[in-house]
Amino acid sequence: MADAFIYDAVRTPRGRGKPDGGLHEVSTLKLAAGALAAVKDRNRLDTALIDDVVMGCVDTVGESGSDIARAAALAAGLGHQVPGVQINRFCASGLDSVNFAAAQIMAGQHEMTVGGGVESMSRVGMGAEGGAWPVDPSIAIPAYFMPQGVSADLIATKYGFSRDDVDAYAVESQKRAGKAWAEKRFAKTIVPVRDVNGVVILDHDEHMRPDTNMQTLAALKPSFVMMGEQAGFDAVAIQAHPDVEAINHVHHPGNSSGIVDGAAAVLIGSAEAGRRAGLKPRARIKAFANIGSEPAIMLTGPVDVTKKLLAKTGMSIKDIDVFEVNEAFASVVLRFIQAFDADPAKVNPNGGAIALGHPLGATGAMLVGMALDELERTGKQTALITLCIGAGMGTATIIERV
């Protein structure tokens, strides 16, 4: 099996996913094309070397539909010979796109690919695509469907995380993200979004609130009480997990991932492709894995898939220097730390989606870039990136700095 190397990773800033957000005027196509163009331009890349573009996108309707990857490749000037494919594994779409692109290299079928993702949550609303899982009783009932926020509260209840625990984690995420920006830790990866005249529209993550503290979070009411108690999903949770007597609702907007717009792209290739392009590899994609997890609790997939991946590679949790665990909700990361007795300082050292936001289809690819930047900044060697996924799944990837 051939080695797949990461040669570059870029991302846009994350704009607030609202009509007054900094990227609301920018279409999904322009976001995705901007990330791809940045990979091409800053590496002076002969695009004839690119064999495929794989991009994640979750709500693939309207302007985000009809294979946004191919449209973005054309719009970015990669040339008509560069194909593109759009994939959707919910929140792990961006990471799976990197993995799928890397798999083409590892299999020896392609020499250079791009994996990435895009989501314009201010323009294409979350859930716009619809689907059978939430609404078709033939699957919703046996799968114990419930909103993810109720699942996050179930995790907190089942594994003993209080409101103070999840709020404290959220405060730390904000502090770490604020420090990372102050120290310009993202400078190598961030590419500003510009308008047609080249004027910068957004050059920073605008969802952050680094002055957040326990007092400001305490003023926020739990978001999922009505869904749980009045809509009946607490009863579904207890039916699926009868060891839980009642759900303690602890999550709210301040300790949950932010709704944002953004795009990312990761340039991947074989050693020979890198030599032909005059590029030096920054990291090697060592291994990746996917898994299905229990669908009612839904968001514990990062624990399950990490166990699978560590067993596959013969590694232990102590072999990992940096963890990027998507902050869908605070309890997701707290459960990951608890399950592995992981060092909290190694987990999301520059903050995560609570502070920075979670552009669904792009987040996984963004986390690859964040992990790589942190390895290079600290001189460390190995990082693990993982995300929880709707309907109960997990995806994880291990990269090694070279």
Side-chain angles (χ1 to χ4, degrees), residues 336-355:
F336 184 92
I337 293 170
Q338 181 190 65
F340 295 106
D341 193 24
D343 181 354
K346 294 182 177 181
V347 180
N348 302 341
N350 296 303
I354 290 172

Side-chain angles (χ1 to χ4, degrees), residues 149-169:
V150 178
S151 293
D153 287 338
L154 172 59
I155 292 171
T157 304
K158 189 177 180 74
Y159 294 104
F161 306 126
S162 67
R163 170 68 183 261
D164 281 350
D165 292 333
V166 292
D167 281 359
Y169 180 83

Side-chain angles (χ1 to χ4, degrees), residues 280-371:
K280 292 182 179 180
R282 295 173 61 189
R284 180 174 75 95
I285 297 178
K286 181 179 177 67
F288 49 83
N290 298 94
I291 202 168
S293 60
E294 199 272 305
I297 205 164
M298 195 187 311
L299 307 175
T300 54
V303 173
D304 299 328
V305 75
T306 296
K307 290 178 180 178
K308 179 179 180 178
L309 188 54
L310 292 176
K312 174 182 176 180
T313 57
M315 300 173 72
S316 77
I317 205 74
K318 294 181 180 178
D319 295 322
I320 308 298
D321 299 309
V322 174
F323 299 90
E324 288 292 340
V325 183
N326 188 39
E327 294 176 354
F329 300 89
S331 65
V332 172
V333 186
L334 291 176
R335 173 56 189 155
F336 184 92
I337 293 170
Q338 181 190 65
F340 295 106
D341 193 24
D343 181 354
K346 294 182 177 181
V347 180
N348 302 341
N350 296 303
I354 290 172
L356 300 169
H358 177 21
L360 304 178
T363 303
M366 290 183 171
L367 293 183
V368 172
M370 288 179 68

Side-chain angles (χ1 to χ4, degrees), residues 17 24 26-28 57-65 119-129 259-261 360:
H24 178 64
V26 184
S27 70
T28 308
C57 189
V58 174
D59 281 295
T60 53
V61 294
E63 68 179 48
S64 297
E119 208 80 38
S120 179
M121 301 180 76
S122 71
R123 296 171 65 92
V124 181
M126 185 165 56
E129 191 175 54
I259 294 173
V260 295
D261 305 333
L360 304 178

Side-chain angles (χ1 to χ4, degrees), residues 100 120 127 135-136 195 208 224 265 293 304 350 368:
F100 285 22
S120 179
V135 298
D136 186 333
D195 65 15
M208 289 190 309
F224 306 104
S293 60
D304 299 328
N350 296 303
V368 172

